[in-house]
Amino acid sequence: MVALAIAFGSCLARGQGVVSPLMRPTGVAYDPAGDLFIADTARSQVFELSAGGTISVVAGAAIQGFSGDGGSATSAELNAPMSVAVAADGTIYIADTGNQRIRAVHGGSIKTFAGNGARGFAGDGGPATAAALNHPVALALDATGALLVCDQGNERVRRISAGHIVTIAGNGVQGFAGDGGAATSAELNEPSGVTASADGRIFIADTGNQRVRVISSSGIISNFAGTGVAGILGDGGSATGAQLNRPVGVAIDSANELFIAEENSHRLRRISANGIITTIAGSGRQGAAVDGAVAVSSAQNQPMGTAVSPFGWPVIADVSNHSVQIVFTDGRLYLPGGLSSHPSVLRLTALDAVYGTAQSAITIAGSPATPQGIVEIADGTTPVASASLAQGAAAVPLSTLTAGTHTLSATYAGDGLHGSTTATATIVVLPAPVTATAADVTISYGAPLPTLTGSVSGVLPRDQGNVSAVFRAGAQPMAPAGSYPITATLSGPASANYTLSSSPNSGTLTIVPAATTATLTPPSAAYATLPLQLTARVGSTTSGTPTGMVQFLDAGNVIATAPLVNGSASAIELNPSSGSHTLSVAYSGDTNFQVSTSAKVIEAVNAMPDFTVGVTGNSQQTVIAGSSATFNLTVGSQGAPFTGAVTLSATGLPSGATAGFSPPAVVPGASTAAVTMTVVTRATTALNTSTNPELGFAATGVIILLAFRRKRTFLRLLSVLAIAGLFGLTGCGARTAPESVLPVQSFTIQVQATGTNLAGNVVVHTLNVKLGLE
């Protein structure tokens, strides 16, 4: 609301030294916060008395007239406003009676809500701003938020909803009639007050008829209080049997108790929910009551308006006494805060506590009796909690206070009677303990480190999602096998409010040796007595390189042990026997890797490759001396391919003969190689070896005898001998004598084949062929 500074003359009423600005307070209403709004007919203003005890002008410039729509409410002109009502959204409705309008103030700005300014009756069913009103004197809001208007000069009660106006009671004829029928057909007489209950009933102060009428939710009107005879009788009995004397203002509380301000009997009466009427203020004596006077014994002076505060206290608009008074729970009358001074003392205590459990204790004492209302707790400038006082005390949970030291302030808003006040206190909030439990995790060495998980207990429900635990283990990638404790830290916007510890059964990260795979790689070919080269490879099923020793086994027997180097190891089986060998390797494991055994490998160890030498075709030949003989030889592998070069040579040749081989050397490999051996003989070989000795000696003797006789004869004889030697004494050329005369000489030729096997050993094989010479 917009506050307007006020200066008042000395003629105004005073309460306990406080100058009252009020001159003719006709209408009163409370808002949900407990602030009291007062329509002052004589000042043409509307005042607000806050629950905390301050007073301000919310509408009217204290000039009687009509102006200001669309502008500041405090600068506008009003004309004898007689009633006020406050909506839940803070809109203040004013019965601007002399202007024949309803004005509305919202956000400090004023506008016309209903009435065109012309005095009369018109406009039902149409826009409220186009309707004609006739002396609108009382306002109230029903349960739907619609505005009810006592259109007194038109003898009607009208309702404004969604900007449209309709009549809900009264037919425009001044009188008394219609009970039990439709309210719109009934006669009213100077309706001056209206209020509505939560159950939909509408109560009308039918002033000229000395009654209070009620309209049911179905629109039927009936008598609720009063006999129609002006008077004061009937207290303690049924309201319908009691006398009323100008009932003007009406109000209803949450318990459906109806309060009636009777202008001429100077009383405030109450009708309970069961229909019993009693007087709660005013003795019937016209006059003024001092602050604190016993209510039922007090003097009043034309009370015209009444309202009920959110705390259940009815208030009286005591028009001619220029004041409003609260009928307090102690049965006495008090001026509201702002018009009087009723001190209150607030105490705030807050003990150090753990986060989530902190609370403050509030006590407040006042005079008169015990203050009621709301206390707000702030942490610095930040509101944190509020509580309603009960018997002047409240325990205010402070569970939202974060861990740390806080300076708190408590503000009591007031209750319309006791003024607002503040108090401070300091509190230390300790972090709340929470427990982390990590889940056990087992991984193999070399495997990627997993995301660790777990749970945290002790986090308050409201912080779920704002606090989480991050679990970590003291293991780096490729950490050795072992057990590593898992620790936790808190994260999240609310994590600073907690202190973390690990539970006794919190898990660990266990790194176990990784599984390995051992493989054996034998040579592609193996031979007996030839060293067998073996290679082992041990790999991880995760990552990393195994170390340690590998055993090489043949038929389960350890034949060698070797260390792994970069995951590999080699060994030699020096003298394997021929046959089938079952080979495997066994890895002994190390700190980070498990033992493993390779699959068995069946390795065939062959006999050492050898070769053979043979002859194809005729291995026995006879030739004439001086000619050649050819033998066809073969060199083949035995057992396995012989990959060495085999050279051949021959011994036992006839004198002067030579043997040649084509090719001079062969590599039989996996097949058979052909070699041709050619033996070339000498022509003299037969003469030296086949001459008849007796014939030779005879010829020699003849030559010697002739040499002594005649020289010529000797020379002729030499010629004869030469010819004889050529044609008769030799074995060459065409045979002219039978074999018995020239026999065949036989030779055994040994062919020697020499090669080097895979073991580097020289291998010699021989064969014999026969050569005959003629």
Side-chain angles (χ1 to χ4, degrees), residues 439-468:
D440 280 317
V441 179
T442 299
I443 63 170
S444 295
Y445 169 79
L449 293 177
T451 298
L452 302 177
T453 60
S455 61
V456 178
S457 59
V459 176
L460 296 178
R462 68 165 176 272
D463 289 333
Q464 297 295 331
N466 292 321
V467 177
S468 60

Side-chain angles (χ1 to χ4, degrees), residues 447-619:
L449 293 177
T451 298
L452 302 177
T453 60
S455 61
V456 178
S457 59
V459 176
L460 296 178
R462 68 165 176 272
D463 289 333
Q464 297 295 331
N466 292 321
V467 177
S468 60
V470 178
F471 294 90
R472 295 183 179 87
Q476 300 300 318
M478 302 302 292
S483 182
Y484 297 86
I486 298 175
T487 60
T489 57
L490 293 178
S491 64
S495 59
N497 297 316
Y498 298 92
T499 180
L500 183 67
S501 62
S502 294
S503 67
N505 60 340
S506 187
T508 59
L509 170 65
T510 302
I511 300 178
V512 298
T516 57
T517 55
T519 56
L520 172 65
T521 304
S524 58
Y527 302 97
T529 73
L530 188 65
L532 187 61
Q533 182 71 44
L534 302 174
T535 301
R537 178 74 185 173
V538 180
S540 170
T541 57
T542 55
S543 60
T545 303
T547 62
M549 303 301 289
V550 171
Q551 290 182 329
F552 293 83
L553 301 100
D554 187 348
N557 298 315
V558 177
I559 56 174
T561 301
L564 285 172
V565 178
N566 294 326
S568 296
S570 299
I572 296 174
E573 186 172 2
L574 293 175
N575 190 22
S577 60
S578 62
S580 179
H581 290 251
T582 302
L583 303 176
S584 62
V585 293
Y587 171 53
S588 61
D590 65 10
T591 302
N592 297 316
F593 292 97
Q594 299 178 20
V595 299
S596 60
T597 301
S598 73
K600 293 179 180 179
V601 175
I602 307 300
E603 179 71 13
V605 177
N606 302 306
M608 180 62 66
D610 202 352
F611 65 91
T612 61
V613 60
V615 61
T616 61
N618 195 353
S619 63

Side-chain angles (χ1 to χ4, degrees), residues 115-373:
N116 58 14
R119 187 168 185 164
F121 174 74
D124 259 14
T129 53
L133 304 176
N134 188 353
H135 203 63
V137 295
L139 304 176
L141 291 158
D142 69 12
T144 69
L147 185 68
L148 306 176
V149 182
C150 276
D151 193 3
Q152 189 181 68
N154 284 319
E155 309 294 345
R156 285 176 166 89
V157 176
R158 302 171 85 174
R159 183 175 187 266
I160 303 171
S161 177
H164 286 70
I165 191 168
V166 293
T167 294
I168 61 170
N171 60 9
V173 176
Q174 186 176 19
F176 175 73
D179 273 2
T184 53
S185 300
E187 294 178 359
L188 302 177
N189 187 353
E190 196 183 347
S192 302
V194 63
T195 190
S197 65
D199 59 13
R201 292 177 296 167
I202 297 171
F203 300 87
I204 304 167
D206 193 2
T207 306
N209 284 321
Q210 311 299 336
R211 299 174 188 267
V212 173
R213 315 275 288 274
V214 61
I215 305 172
S216 71
S217 58
S218 59
I220 303 301
I221 194 169
S222 60
N223 188 52
F224 187 77
T227 61
V229 176
I232 62 172
L233 301 178
D235 272 3
S238 171
T240 55
Q243 296 175 347
L244 305 179
N245 196 349
R246 281 197 66 80
V248 178
V250 288
I252 196 165
D253 67 10
S254 59
N256 285 329
E257 293 186 326
L258 185 72
F259 297 87
I260 307 168
E262 295 183 40
E263 182 180 19
N264 284 355
S265 67
H266 312 293
R267 298 172 187 265
L268 180 68
R269 298 173 86 177
R270 178 177 61 200
I271 303 174
S272 67
N274 61 4
I276 303 302
I277 189 169
T278 57
T279 297
I280 63 170
S283 63
R285 178 171 54 90
Q286 187 174 13
V290 298
D291 195 54
V294 175
V296 293
S297 303
S298 66
Q300 300 288 317
N301 196 351
Q302 294 184 303
M304 295 183 64
T306 185
V308 182
S309 82
F311 307 105
W313 309 328
V315 64
I316 305 170
D318 193 358
V319 175
S320 295
N321 281 323
H322 321 295
S323 70
V324 292
Q325 291 178 306
I326 293 172
V327 183
F328 197 53
T329 54
D330 62 359
R332 295 178 180 273
L333 295 174
Y334 298 99
L335 293 171
L339 299 181
S340 64
S341 176
H342 298 288
S344 57
V345 178
L346 178 67
R347 289 184 177 86
L348 171 66
T349 57
L351 301 178
D352 295 348
V354 173
Y355 172 72
T357 65
Q359 68 175 15
S360 62
I362 295 169
T363 57
I364 187 167
S367 177
T370 302
Q372 299 186 52

Side-chain angles (χ1 to χ4, degrees), residues 22 37 68 271 349 355 368 389 397 457 537 601 664-665 672 687 717 728 740:
L22 304 177
F37 293 81
I271 303 174
T349 57
Y355 172 72
L389 291 169
S457 59
R537 178 74 185 173
V601 175
T672 300
L687 182 61
L717 182 58
S740 59

Side-chain angles (χ1 to χ4, degrees), residues 5-81:
I6 306 170
F8 304 106
S10 59
C11 64
L12 300 182
R14 296 175 179 268
Q16 293 189 343
V18 178
V19 177
S20 170
L22 304 177
M23 292 183 66
R24 190 170 178 80
T26 308
V28 286
Y30 280 99
D31 71 4
D35 291 354
L36 177 63
F37 293 81
I38 304 169
D40 191 323
T41 304
R43 282 193 172 279
S44 293
Q45 287 181 303
V46 175
F47 295 93
E48 178 183 6
L49 297 178
S50 74
T54 60
I55 186 169
S56 59
V57 175
V58 294
I63 299 173
Q64 188 172 13
F66 174 74
S67 69
D69 269 5
S72 170
T74 55
S75 299
E77 294 178 357
L78 303 176
N79 189 352

